[in-house]
Amino acid sequence: MIKNLNIFTRQMSLYGILSIFGIGLIIFVVIQFNTINKTLNNHVPNSVSNMSKASELNEIALFIRYYDEVLTQSTRNYALTGNTDWLNRYNKNVPLLDEMVKRAIRVSDGEDKALFASIDTVNQNLVAMEANSQTQATKGNLSGAISILDSPEYTSAKEIYEKALVTYVEKHGTSYDSVMSSSTKDVTDAIDYTNSVIYRASIITRVIILFIIIFMIVAGRYILLSITNPLKILTEATERIVKGDINQKVDIRAKDEIGTLAQQFNAMTEAIKKSRLSMDRELLEKTKSLDEKEKFMGDQRKAILNVLEDVESEKDKVSSEKDKTDTILQSIGDAVFVVDTEQKIILVNSVTEKISGLSPEQLIGKTYTDVLKFVFEDTKKINNKFMLDALKTGITQEMSNHTVIINNSGDEIPISDSAAPLKDKDGKVIGCVVVFRDVTKERQIDKAKTEFVSLASHQLRTPLSAINWYVEMLLAGDAGKLSAEQKNYVNEVYNGNKRMVDLVNSLLNVSRIGMGTFAVEPENVNICNICEDVIKELTPQIVAKKLSIIKEHEDKKLTIFADPKLMRIVMQNFLTNAVKYTPEKGIITASVFKIKAGSYPNVNSDSMLMKISDTGYGIPESQKEHIFEKLFRADNVREKDTEGTGLGLYIVKSIIEQSGGVVWFESKINKGTSFYATIPLKGMVKKEGNKELT
Amino acid sequence: MKKNVLIVEDENTLASAIAAKLEISGFDVAKARSVEQAISYLEEIPKIDVIWLDHYLLGSENGLDFVHSVKNSEKWKGIPIFVVSNTATPDKIKSYMQLGVEKYYVKAEHRLEDIIKDIKKVA
């Protein structure tokens, strides 16, 4: 039944029971006290009052006797002597006696009371008689005073008085001790009774208390266990669950909170079991899929490892390529540096460091114009155009001649070469590679060559000039008139000399072309006019050979920005060849017109085309490839004509190609030849050179 | 009155040819082979009408130096100078032209009589 109460009720019940016991005990104790109280209040006081009463009466009686004696004596003595002292003493004690007697009456009861009442009466009587006596004494009637005292009335009253007292004394005097002892016995009895009551009560109280304690212990423990035992069961069950044993069922059937808890615990265990089962199932499934995934991952990992191996080997390859590239870069004899689109240096090689005098740390990352000072030799102004053009146009640019670099010691070092734009695979410019080299030596060599050529030309030309002029004077008759035959001979000399002069000029041109040192000074030139001039010069031969010249110029006013001297050389060459290598009565056609880019192979921009065609000997197939070579003359014309240096076409090719144009020919043996040369319409670029071609 | 031409040319043969032709053309000539010589001629001869000058000369000075000296002199700076040389360096030619010579010829390319024709125009 206890188990069906909830814990609170149980506790409250226990407290309630304990309270009841407690109250019971208190009531019991109170009752006992009352008993004791009554005893004490009743017995003892009675006995004590009896005792006191008895003793008090005795005392009063004594006093009454005493006062009586005193009074008797005093009145008698007064009567005898008339001494007022005795009267004063009498008066003083009379009230005292009276008071005593009245007290005695009050205090006593029963017989005693009647006794003292009679004493009082007698006393009054005596007092009256004594008063008479005193009066007499006072009057001086001593004898009268005595007589009253000796009177039978007085004496009998006295006797009665005495008798009463004796009666009392007899009654009580001897029984004083018995009264005392009975009173004392009463008190003792009362005390004993009280003690026994107290003793009994204390025993009972102690027993009750003991009982309460035992009850408290037992009941308390029982209640406590009723809580802790199920809790222990629950705790153990929980521990087992924690350890892993899910199959726990707690058997607590109480209907209190513990019971509820136990039910919930069981329900929870069930739920855990269920969820555990489902989790196990899920886990199993997941493990299965995980295994599959792991296997898959394993395969993947293998694949990745393979890829990584490949990557590693590629990396090695790349790294070794890079090493190779670095080695190549460092072993390039020229200075190489690379900039990005913002002209910041990203790569340099050792030669760059050497020439500039700066370390890679000082160069890399900096804008190149801050550290590498390319300037024009003459103006000392920064030459940045070649780089900017390369970056902007995406076309390789050459540094103009007379560019120097100022190294970090302040020296000027003449350099040359080019800036080539770097492009990504979409063709966008991502940077620029600049290659340059110290051309000091080259310049010196160049200078030496130039001086040599200059000197050679001077040395060669001097005798030629002498011959020229003397022969001229001869022919002019300045040294006397010549015979026809003399004139012929001298003419041969003159012609021979002229050829020499041409050859020397050609050789000088070739050497200048070879050195790249000829100047280009373009102006707006009319090619057709040049063509006309050259044709005019050749008129004697044309007439002599009866050749027909046809001019097919698209636009007689066509001008192009070109060096007139160079254009003249080209025209001269083509036309002279045409005239030379066409037999009598042949036809030579000269045409100048504009063409569009792409209309002929290798012609990449809109250009001006010069075309000279003839109906001459043509060029043998086998020798076509050599036509533009230095000093080459095809066999077929060498047989026919021993003149010709073989240098002309080489010079023409150099000029045209350096001007950005294209030169080619078509020919059929014994049918004729057509020579073509183009100049881009944008014209020639001015080039400073040491010499002009002659 | 015959005009005087000062020929400054170090090659004897050439100088002779030039002198001969000039004389035939009606000039009086004096031949100097070096700048020093030429200067002394200028000082001696009261009037020189034309100077025929080559570039390379005997001695340390060349034609350019000579032209400098002439053009710096009050007396002589008005004399037309024809430079006839075999060198054709554009720099040299430019320098001569800038100094104010009349014309520059490359010897081997010109006939004597053509040059003399031009001289006659200014002399």
Side-chain angles (χ1 to χ4, degrees):
Chain A
M1 188 203 80
I2 299 255
K3 290 208 174 115
N4 292 338
L5 300 168
N6 67 26
I7 293 174
F8 179 75
T9 316
R10 261 180 263 179
Q11 268 193 306
M12 285 299 112
S13 315
L14 182 64
Y15 292 149
I17 292 173
L18 287 175
S19 307
I20 291 172
F21 280 144
I23 291 168
L25 182 65
I26 289 168
I27 291 173
F28 169 75
V29 166
V30 163
I31 291 173
Q32 293 307 306
F33 272 137
N34 272 345
T35 314
I36 292 168
N37 221 22
K38 210 164 60 185
T39 309
L40 290 175
N41 277 344
N42 288 339
H43 283 180
V44 171
N46 276 345
S47 307
V48 167
S49 80
N50 281 346
M51 238 167 54
S52 78
K53 220 190 281 184
S55 60
E56 195 182 353
L57 266 177
N58 284 347
E59 200 180 303
I60 292 170
L62 281 171
F63 268 116
I64 291 171
R65 277 188 88 158
Y66 168 70
Y67 285 131
D68 176 58
E69 280 297 316
V70 168
L71 286 176
T72 309
Q73 200 179 45
S74 298
T75 210
R76 187 163 286 278
N77 286 343
Y78 189 50
L80 288 171
T81 63
N83 191 348
T84 49
D85 286 343
W86 292 111
L87 184 66
N88 291 336
R89 193 162 173 242
Y90 177 86
N91 284 334
K92 200 174 110 182
N93 287 297
V94 161
L96 294 176
L97 178 67
D98 191 41
E99 192 198 319
M100 280 292 137
V101 172
K102 292 280 186 319
R103 235 175 101 191
I105 295 171
R106 260 205 325 272
V107 168
S108 67
D109 48 9
E111 271 180 27
D112 295 337
K113 200 174 198 108
L115 187 68
F116 282 109
S118 74
I119 290 174
D120 189 35
T121 312
V122 172
N123 196 36
Q124 296 311 324
N125 214 8
L126 286 172
V127 165
M129 284 187 269
E130 278 159 4
N132 283 341
S133 163
Q134 279 152 19
T135 307
Q136 297 296 322
T138 307
K139 281 183 194 169
N141 190 10
L142 294 181
S143 61
I146 290 281
S147 67
I148 296 172
L149 290 180
D150 287 336
S151 72
E153 287 99 357
Y154 187 76
T155 312
S156 66
K158 256 318 200 169
E159 278 181 18
I160 296 167
Y161 189 79
E162 298 277 331
K163 206 176 157 184
L165 275 179
V166 168
T167 310
Y168 177 74
V169 168
E170 276 182 353
K171 188 179 169 212
H172 290 287
T174 49
S175 65
Y176 176 69
D177 293 328
S178 67
V179 168
M180 287 303 289
S181 70
S182 73
S183 298
T184 313
K185 189 169 175 291
D186 280 342
V187 171
T188 315
D189 284 345
I191 288 171
D192 283 343
Y193 180 68
T194 307
N195 276 344
S196 71
V197 168
I198 286 174
Y199 179 72
R200 206 187 63 199
S202 77
I203 294 285
I204 290 178
T205 308
R206 267 178 244 184
V207 165
I208 290 178
I209 287 176
L210 188 68
F211 171 75
I212 287 176
I213 287 174
I214 289 173
F215 174 79
M216 220 169 60
I217 289 172
V218 167
R221 186 162 174 281
Y222 183 71
I223 289 181
L224 197 66
L225 280 180
S226 76
I227 298 171
T228 57
N229 272 345
L231 281 180
K232 192 153 145 240
I233 293 173
L234 269 174
T235 313
E236 283 168 5
T238 312
E239 279 175 11
R240 280 195 288 268
I241 290 181
V242 164
K243 285 213 180 83
D245 184 3
I246 265 277
N247 272 324
Q248 299 298 323
K249 204 169 165 73
V250 166
D251 188 16
I252 296 174
R253 270 169 259 168
K255 292 216 179 68
D256 59 359
E257 293 98 323
I258 307 279
T260 318
L261 184 63
Q263 278 170 24
Q264 295 308 314
F265 177 85
N266 285 336
M268 187 183 72
T269 318
E270 276 305 310
I272 290 177
K273 245 203 299 200
K274 278 210 198 88
S275 92
R276 179 82 84 78
L277 279 173
S278 78
M279 276 202 315
D280 284 344
R281 239 182 298 126
E282 267 184 49
L283 192 69
L284 204 62
E285 286 174 13
K286 286 223 166 72
T287 312
K288 213 168 51 171
S289 87
L290 216 68
D291 281 338
E292 289 168 12
K293 284 211 175 81
E294 211 187 302
K295 185 168 168 308
F296 176 70
M297 295 280 279
D299 293 338
Q300 288 289 69
R301 198 197 306 144
K302 266 192 234 137
I304 289 176
L305 281 174
N306 283 339
V307 171
L308 280 176
E309 273 176 24
D310 293 341
V311 168
E312 273 302 311
S313 76
E314 280 301 307
K315 243 185 21 179
D316 288 337
K317 261 196 245 165
V318 167
S319 144
S320 77
E321 281 296 324
K322 184 175 184 296
D323 289 339
K324 245 203 285 181
T325 313
D326 281 343
T327 314
I328 291 173
L329 191 71
Q330 293 304 332
S331 53
I332 290 177
D334 290 349
V336 179
F337 71 91
V338 182
V339 299
D340 59 18
T341 48
E342 290 167 16
Q343 303 183 57
K344 285 202 168 29
I345 299 174
I346 54 180
L347 191 81
V348 295
N349 79 339
S350 52
V351 180
T352 311
E353 299 167 35
K354 202 165 69 150
I355 294 183
S356 69
L358 298 168
S359 68
E361 292 77 37
Q362 291 170 292
L363 290 166
I364 293 183
K366 311 269 194 323
T367 308
Y368 93 97
T369 45
D370 291 343
V371 289
L372 294 171
K373 305 206 183 298
F374 298 105
V375 297
F376 290 107
E377 189 173 18
D378 40 4
T379 62
K380 304 290 189 282
K381 283 219 191 112
I382 298 280
N383 178 1
N384 198 18
K385 190 166 183 299
F386 69 99
M387 165 77 74
L388 293 172
D389 283 349
L391 285 172
K392 196 166 67 161
T393 65
I395 297 175
T396 303
Q397 304 288 331
E398 287 194 3
M399 273 178 229
S400 52
N401 280 338
H402 306 297
T403 307
V404 299
I405 184 173
I406 302 180
N407 72 359
N408 73 332
S409 318
D411 302 325
E412 289 177 14
I413 300 173
I415 52 152
S416 95
D417 248 337
S418 57
L422 287 172
K423 296 183 189 163
D424 63 11
K425 61 177 168 57
D426 300 322
K428 197 171 84 143
V429 174
I430 55 172
C432 200
V433 175
V434 178
V435 183
F436 66 95
R437 65 180 188 281
D438 180 346
V439 297
T440 318
K441 270 233 183 61
E442 280 182 29
R443 282 243 194 124
Q444 287 166 348
I445 292 171
D446 221 44
K447 201 153 156 248
K449 264 203 229 170
T450 309
E451 283 190 19
F452 168 76
V453 165
S454 191
L455 211 53
S457 74
H458 180 75
Q459 301 293 51
L460 286 170
R461 281 184 178 142
T462 304
L464 288 173
S465 305
I467 298 171
N468 218 19
W469 287 342
Y470 277 112
V471 166
E472 180 197 326
M473 284 198 284
L474 271 178
L475 286 172
D478 294 337
K481 196 166 155 61
L482 291 176
S483 68
E485 204 172 349
Q486 281 171 332
K487 233 191 184 147
N488 278 339
Y489 284 24
V490 173
N491 249 333
E492 290 301 321
V493 173
Y494 188 74
N495 290 336
N497 193 52
K498 199 127 189 315
R499 276 178 63 191
M500 275 292 289
V501 169
D502 284 344
L503 187 60
V504 167
N505 282 344
S506 300
L507 281 171
L508 281 172
N509 284 344
V510 164
S511 78
R512 285 200 194 113
I513 285 170
M515 294 192 298
T517 55
F518 67 91
V520 178
E521 285 170 357
E523 355 173 309
N524 280 326
V525 294
N526 186 321
I527 301 295
C528 305
N529 289 347
I530 293 177
C531 187
E532 284 297 318
D533 284 346
V534 171
I535 293 172
K536 230 191 283 180
E537 280 176 14
L538 292 167
T539 311
Q541 291 101 304
I542 293 168
V543 165
K545 279 174 131 181
K546 300 193 183 58
L547 299 168
S548 318
I549 307 293
I550 303 174
K551 287 168 245 176
E552 284 177 3
H553 303 311
E554 172 191 57
D555 177 6
K556 291 229 174 77
K557 296 211 182 56
L558 179 64
T559 59
I560 192 165
F561 192 66
D563 186 323
K565 285 198 203 65
L566 298 175
M567 293 285 86
R568 191 184 192 82
I569 290 171
V570 170
M571 269 297 171
Q572 260 176 343
N573 202 277
F574 282 172
L575 285 165
T576 314
N577 283 348
V579 168
K580 265 205 292 204
Y581 303 127
T582 307
E584 290 193 4
K585 304 220 182 84
I587 305 168
I588 294 172
T589 318
S591 29
V592 173
F593 49 92
K594 282 197 278 198
I595 56 167
K596 286 245 171 268
S599 43
Y600 289 93
N602 298 329
V603 178
N604 296 329
S605 51
D606 296 349
S607 307
M608 179 202 73
L609 178 68
M610 295 169 274
K611 181 176 171 200
I612 310 293
S613 311
D614 62 52
T615 54
Y617 306 119
I619 299 166
E621 278 304 316
S622 58
Q623 310 214 307
K624 276 184 179 168
E625 59 182 334
H626 302 297
I627 278 296
F628 290 105
E629 286 171 17
K630 276 185 243 188
L631 299 167
F632 179 82
R633 299 190 71 228
D635 295 334
N636 58 341
V637 294
R638 263 204 283 151
E639 290 169 22
K640 305 254 183 341
D641 185 337
T642 50
E643 280 188 28
T645 55
L647 293 170
L649 283 173
Y650 171 78
I651 294 169
V652 164
K653 186 164 188 273
S654 304
I655 291 171
I656 293 295
E657 283 180 356
Q658 292 218 19
S659 309
V662 193
V663 62
W664 73 96
F665 64 89
E666 291 156 1
S667 182
K668 218 158 178 165
I669 196 119
N670 290 328
K671 276 281 174 13
T673 310
S674 293
F675 267 89
Y676 304 79
T678 67
I679 298 284
L681 283 177
K682 68 174 194 257
M684 294 186 183
V685 177
K686 181 172 160 69
K687 184 157 86 87
E688 298 208 1
N690 296 327
K691 291 261 186 265
E692 291 172 340
L693 293 185
T694 50
Chain B
M1 172 76 186
K2 269 199 190 170
K3 304 281 179 158
N4 285 331
V5 180
L6 175 62
I7 303 172
V8 191
E9 168 66 63
D10 64 330
E11 290 279 336
N12 278 330
T13 45
L14 288 175
S16 304
I18 297 165
K21 195 69 187 183
L22 276 169
E23 280 172 343
I24 292 171
S25 307
F27 291 94
D28 275 338
V29 300
K31 289 188 286 190
R33 294 180 76 195
S34 70
V35 173
E36 201 187 326
Q37 230 183 345
I39 298 283
S40 58
Y41 270 125
L42 276 172
E43 283 165 352
E44 283 169 17
I45 300 170
K47 189 166 186 302
I48 303 278
D49 299 290
V50 179
I51 300 177
W52 176 299
L53 177 66
D54 187 15
H55 175 70
Y56 288 112
L57 298 166
L58 286 183
S60 54
E61 290 178 301
N62 62 21
L64 270 173
D65 304 318
F66 179 69
V67 175
H68 264 131
S69 308
V70 168
K71 290 301 177 188
N72 279 339
S73 144
E74 284 298 319
K75 256 204 302 183
W76 304 319
K77 67 179 180 190
I79 305 173
I81 304 175
F82 289 84
V83 185
V84 187
S85 179
N86 261 325
T87 72
T89 323
D91 297 341
K92 285 211 198 76
I93 299 172
K94 203 157 57 164
S95 308
Y96 275 111
M97 298 310 293
Q98 276 175 345
L99 285 169
V101 304
E102 209 59 43
K103 221 166 167 201
Y104 187 103
Y105 302 89
V106 175
K107 268 185 208 143
E109 290 173 9
H110 293 276
R111 297 165 58 82
L112 276 172
E113 60 184 23
D114 295 331
I115 302 175
I116 291 171
K117 217 188 311 183
D118 290 337
I119 291 176
K120 280 194 174 154
K121 284 189 201 147
V122 297

